[in-house]
Amino acid sequence: SGPLVANPDPMHLDVVPFFGPMYVTGAASGLGLAQTEPVLGLDHRVTMDLSNAQVALQTTEGLFQFFLEPAAYSLPTLGVPYQFSKVGVATNLYGGLPVAWGKLAPSDNFSVQGGKLPTLIGAEYMFTFQNMNIERGLLWNQEPVVSRGVQGNLTTGPVAWSLSLNDGYYSGKYNWLSGAATWTIDPANSLTVTAGGALSRNAVAGPATPLAQNNSTIVEAAYTYNNAPWTITPYVQYTHVGADAVLGFGQDAATIGGAVLASYKFNNYFSLAGRWEYIASNGSAAAGAPDLLGFGPGSAAMSLTLTPTFQNGIFFLRGEASLTQAYSVTAGSALLFGNGSGRTQARFLVETGVVF
């Protein structure tokens, strides 16, 4: 969905006659990051890292299709410490094969797939090169990223439907139901509604499985206008976590947020993308509400991001400046900037590499 253009003529191997041509695509890139108020003990003021080293192998024809994406990757995201690509940090969240699925497609308008699937929920995606901005935003922090499960897809006229039974926030317990419906109004306009939620209590927690979000319900609606030179996507998000004494949630908590993603393409080489977002949570720390934003129950946050991009063929170079502001914070919250008292963080990034 971002300004980077995929290779229109990717490599392919005609060695899998049962599946048809196998296409080989991917990305290799590195980034540098400088920031104010790094989270004490968890982050650095200046960072250099490999942001992507991955290859995607996929087939797109026939009854049986597959997609495999062995990868190393980092997860730069606003409002949280930087997630390095090295083993044990970002790559270890979803493994060295973060996305992998097989698909049964008996017709052009119906298919069933299963495996490690990208979430149906959200307007931003897992890897940096897929998005308008290098960093994912504050609303992205509330969404699943990769879920293991099965998914059915059906297209009826201008509406595409998907329904998935999965393990939510990568918990290993298959008690989440997710769905999406996209109405293509015309070639330039579309409307998408997505939703997901836990069908039962899930006490699993870990680096890729936040306990509160994994027991939540989430609903989003996004409108996209895509007509050169503009791409604009405003969307809204609502999440809810019910009180649960077993999980330690003494009070209900919810978030409501909105964002606008936009990209303007000046010519075949240069574009500028931006993102504005605001998200607020409710609940009280004294009443035992879960902390959904990382700044304490009842906190809020806003961000502004600008990302100029240059691309020539498969080569790209991007810069980025972002500002994140937290409000109504709880002193000593885990993700407060600096020494635990900061409210504002500025970041500056450069990313360069190839998409092939």
Side-chain angles (χ1 to χ4, degrees), residues 10-95:
M11 294 181 289
H12 66 276
L13 305 174
D14 296 318
V15 295
V16 275
F18 185 69
F19 295 100
M22 182 176 69
Y23 294 93
V24 182
T25 60
S29 62
L31 63 76
L33 179 151
Q35 62 185 340
T36 64
E37 299 286 342
V39 178
L40 192 66
L42 296 176
D43 216 345
H44 305 281
R45 191 168 296 274
V46 177
T47 293
M48 297 187 68
D49 193 21
L50 178 75
S51 54
N52 294 285
Q54 53 185 281
V55 175
L57 309 174
Q58 62 181 309
T59 61
T60 60
E61 301 175 11
L63 178 62
F64 300 102
Q65 301 171 21
F66 64 83
F67 183 97
L68 304 172
E69 194 165 11
Y73 46 91
S74 65
L75 298 174
T77 309
L78 297 179
V80 298
Y82 178 78
Q83 294 286 307
F84 283 88
S85 63
K86 66 183 180 181
V87 173
V89 191
T91 301
N92 212 39
L93 294 177
Y94 307 103

Side-chain angles (χ1 to χ4, degrees), residues 102-149:
K103 178 191 287 187
L104 179 66
S107 68
D108 291 339
N109 64 347
F110 176 72
S111 65
V112 177
Q113 60 192 114
K116 299 175 71 171
L117 305 169
T119 179
L120 292 170
I121 300 168
E124 296 181 286
Y125 303 94
M126 182 175 182
F127 303 117
T128 61
F129 66 91
Q130 296 176 297
N131 294 305
M132 291 190 185
N133 308 106
I134 301 172
E135 301 171 281
R136 268 73 78 198
L138 299 169
L139 273 64
W140 189 81
N141 284 329
Q142 303 302 315
E143 302 161 356
V145 180
V146 175
S147 301
R148 293 166 288 201

